[in-house]
Amino acid sequence: MHTGLRITAFAAALAATFGTAYGVGKGVDPLVADNASAPHETHGRPSAEQPGREEGGGHDGHESTPPGGLQISENGYTLDLATARVTAGQRTELRFTVRDGSGKAVTAYQREHDKELHLILASRDLVTYRHLHPTRAADGTWSTPVDLPRAGGYRVFADFTPAGKGAEGLTLGADLAASGRYDPARVPAPNRTVRTGDYQVRLDGSLRPGRASELKLKVSRDGEPVTDLQPYLGAYGHLVALRSGDLAYLHVHPNGEPGDGTTKPGPEISFTATAPSPGTYRLFLDFQHQGRVHTAAFTVRAGTAPGAQDPAPSAPTEHSEEHGH
């Protein structure tokens, strides 16, 4: 049993200027979202406990190795995004293929957390977020419906491990444009308590650059602690962190797992994470209760010293990110 940690990064720039990419459309308010991921290991990536594999390490918070997710191709594999543009507010089938070095579609994968491939989709302003699980056709084409609420730039991020002995987990990224009326948004203000539906989630702990630290998230409902969280894809909680600016990506899983004899099903979910650098991050927690998956989103700042973290607000903020599965 161990805590998995992977730090990867999205590309920092869009493929095209959205001033010319967007047509006339109407804005759609974000929706509260659902989904989660799984237990004690990251999807296909060796954990930070394994020497030489932590991305974004370094005691001074500087990234010591080239982060994953920046590239559309890596280790002979390429993310071929067939749907590079959608219309905001319209349901669209997002289609893509992972190709090997010969250009053939990959059709054999290792299952990680009950899935062959996990797909993260996030807007550049970090307001919209989704963790998706697309389906694969026999010819290797992946597809999933998406309905993005707002025009703007998005990043699609495929997380998978090809089948084969000794195969390493890969994180490939590509840009996605959602056309329509574009209203730039700011990253939400720092917060430590979030409401999502009837639930309230409290974040304790600091995200530190280059140093592992514990993050504890406590779930309550109508003022009462939730002590019967349900496993979703093998875990009581799933946490993703995205760095504002370039969308550097951290994917962590809880300390412990259901059925290990020590991990309780709430109200507290504990994670260990390391920020790749100082900066502002959005944290997205997925948890399941009474058959439904909920998402709580936080904004935190990772500084170079303790105390650089933002204080908790006096009142909980409403969750407004969109998330789907």
Side-chain angles (χ1 to χ4, degrees), residues 217-273:
L217 295 109
K218 187 174 183 179
V219 182
S220 61
R221 185 181 189 185
D222 298 328
E224 296 295 327
V226 175
T227 59
D228 58 344
L229 292 172
Q230 298 169 318
Y232 191 82
L233 297 177
Y236 289 128
H238 170 81
L239 187 67
V240 166
L242 301 174
R243 182 172 60 190
S244 177
D246 64 355
L247 303 193
Y249 177 79
L250 293 77
H251 195 156
V252 298
H253 289 289
N255 297 321
E257 61 182 352
D260 63 9
T262 59
T263 303
K264 298 180 179 179
E268 194 171 84
I269 312 169
S270 171
F271 299 84
T272 300

Side-chain angles (χ1 to χ4, degrees), residues 23-320:
V24 177
K26 68 176 183 178
V28 179
D29 292 335
L31 306 173
V32 174
D34 296 354
N35 202 5
S37 191
H40 51 289
E41 254 180 36
T42 58
H43 303 150
R45 289 276 183 182
S47 78
E49 298 168 358
Q50 293 175 290
R53 287 299 301 165
E54 179 175 357
E55 297 174 358
H59 298 290
D60 58 359
H62 296 292
E63 293 163 2
S64 57
T65 59
L70 283 174
Q71 304 177 100
I72 200 168
S73 297
E74 184 180 357
N75 289 353
Y77 293 89
T78 298
L79 175 59
D80 183 0
L81 186 62
T83 309
R85 188 172 311 234
V86 298
T87 300
Q90 292 185 10
R91 187 180 177 89
T92 306
E93 193 79 1
L94 183 69
R95 297 169 61 85
F96 64 94
T97 304
V98 176
R99 301 190 182 278
D100 62 18
S102 65
K104 294 182 179 179
V106 177
T107 58
Y109 296 82
Q110 296 183 27
R111 294 185 71 85
E112 302 286 346
H113 314 304
D114 298 332
K115 300 292 180 180
E116 290 186 335
L117 184 145
H118 297 257
L119 196 73
I120 298 295
L121 194 156
S123 61
R124 289 282 170 180
D125 56 23
L126 297 178
V127 171
T128 300
Y129 164 84
R130 292 187 178 184
H131 182 161
L132 305 170
H133 296 108
T135 57
R136 177 176 58 83
D139 66 355
T141 301
W142 292 91
S143 63
T144 182
V146 295
D147 187 354
L148 300 179
R150 301 163 54 248
Y154 291 80
R155 188 69 174 171
V156 175
F157 165 77
D159 181 356
F160 63 94
T161 302
K165 186 177 180 180
E168 293 186 358
L170 295 172
T171 300
L172 304 179
D175 290 316
L176 175 69
S179 63
R181 189 184 65 202
Y182 180 43
D183 297 318
R186 293 179 178 271
V187 175
N191 59 327
R192 285 303 189 100
T193 306
V194 170
R195 283 198 187 101
T196 174
D198 297 333
Y199 298 85
Q200 182 171 304
V201 184
R202 166 77 187 187
L203 169 65
D204 290 310
S206 297
L207 187 63
R208 298 182 180 181
R211 301 176 66 184
S213 60
E214 186 178 21
L215 300 174
K216 295 182 178 180
L217 295 109
K218 187 174 183 179
V219 182
S220 61
R221 185 181 189 185
D222 298 328
E224 296 295 327
V226 175
T227 59
D228 58 344
L229 292 172
Q230 298 169 318
Y232 191 82
L233 297 177
Y236 289 128
H238 170 81
L239 187 67
V240 166
L242 301 174
R243 182 172 60 190
S244 177
D246 64 355
L247 303 193
Y249 177 79
L250 293 77
H251 195 156
V252 298
H253 289 289
N255 297 321
E257 61 182 352
D260 63 9
T262 59
T263 303
K264 298 180 179 179
E268 194 171 84
I269 312 169
S270 171
F271 299 84
T272 300
T274 303
S277 72
T280 299
Y281 292 78
R282 287 285 280 170
L283 274 59
F284 300 91
L285 172 72
D286 301 322
F287 63 94
Q288 181 168 265
H289 187 240
Q290 295 184 349
R292 295 191 62 185
V293 182
H294 307 270
T295 301
F298 303 84
T299 301
V300 299
R301 289 185 181 139
T304 55
Q309 197 80 16
D310 294 282
S314 57
T317 56
E318 293 293 335
H319 166 61
S320 62

